[in-house]
Amino acid sequence: MSLLIKLYECPRSSIKPVASIEQCNALLNWFDNHLLELHSEAIVELTEQTLLKLLSDLYRLSANNCEQVFPTIPNFVHGASEYDEAYWQKVAQLRVKLKQLLDSFDFNQHQLFLQGSW
């Protein structure tokens, strides 16, 4: 499973990938609960506000609240569901990627879309 963040320009054939996040079932769960339930190959717009909310949740995440703030999907075949070292590494990577994206992407000039692929 991977979630591809893409820059969308008309026509659709000109969609340009700007980031890729793979094997993070907690992220899929977060989008399902805060945006809408994602389906493979669906394309959903990501607003700056949505990404700021996600980044805020990632920064307030702790071992005590991870099962409430950024829970994994139990027994999901794409990505681990344990709250182990790999989970915390993925959280750290997401924080960096989101911060970079928010700092560099011009939401006034472009639209940002998420495409699930699994």
Side-chain angles (χ1 to χ4, degrees):
M1 175 198 64
S2 63
L3 298 174
L4 301 176
I5 299 173
K6 297 184 176 188
L7 173 64
Y8 178 76
E9 297 174 354
C10 292
R12 186 174 174 172
S13 61
S14 68
I15 293 175
K16 302 173 194 172
V18 295
S20 176
I21 302 164
E22 298 182 5
Q23 300 296 320
C24 187
N25 98 26
L27 181 60
L28 177 61
N29 197 26
W30 190 94
F31 283 122
D32 284 350
N33 289 310
H34 292 87
L35 188 61
L36 61 89
E37 187 174 339
L38 291 175
H39 299 281
S40 185
E41 303 305 318
I43 297 175
V44 179
E45 183 176 5
L46 292 179
T47 65
E48 184 176 20
Q49 292 75 26
T50 299
L51 295 182
L52 287 169
K53 168 66 174 145
L54 174 57
L55 188 59
S56 173
D57 283 352
L58 291 173
Y59 275 117
R60 71 184 182 96
L61 197 58
S62 71
N64 293 328
N65 68 12
C66 61
E67 292 183 44
Q68 291 77 39
V69 176
F70 201 62
T72 62
I73 303 169
N75 303 316
F76 188 61
V77 297
H78 300 292
S81 60
E82 296 80 29
Y83 299 93
D84 56 8
E85 185 62 30
Y87 171 89
W88 293 106
Q89 287 176 350
K90 187 60 71 175
V91 167
Q93 291 169 355
L94 285 170
R95 286 177 184 149
V96 170
K97 283 186 179 188
L98 283 175
K99 180 78 171 104
Q100 290 172 342
L101 186 59
L102 285 162
D103 288 346
S104 64
F105 191 81
D106 185 351
F107 286 91
N108 294 317
Q109 296 293 318
H110 302 284
Q111 291 175 286
L112 188 66
F113 290 83
L114 172 73
Q115 180 179 10
S117 177
W118 58 88

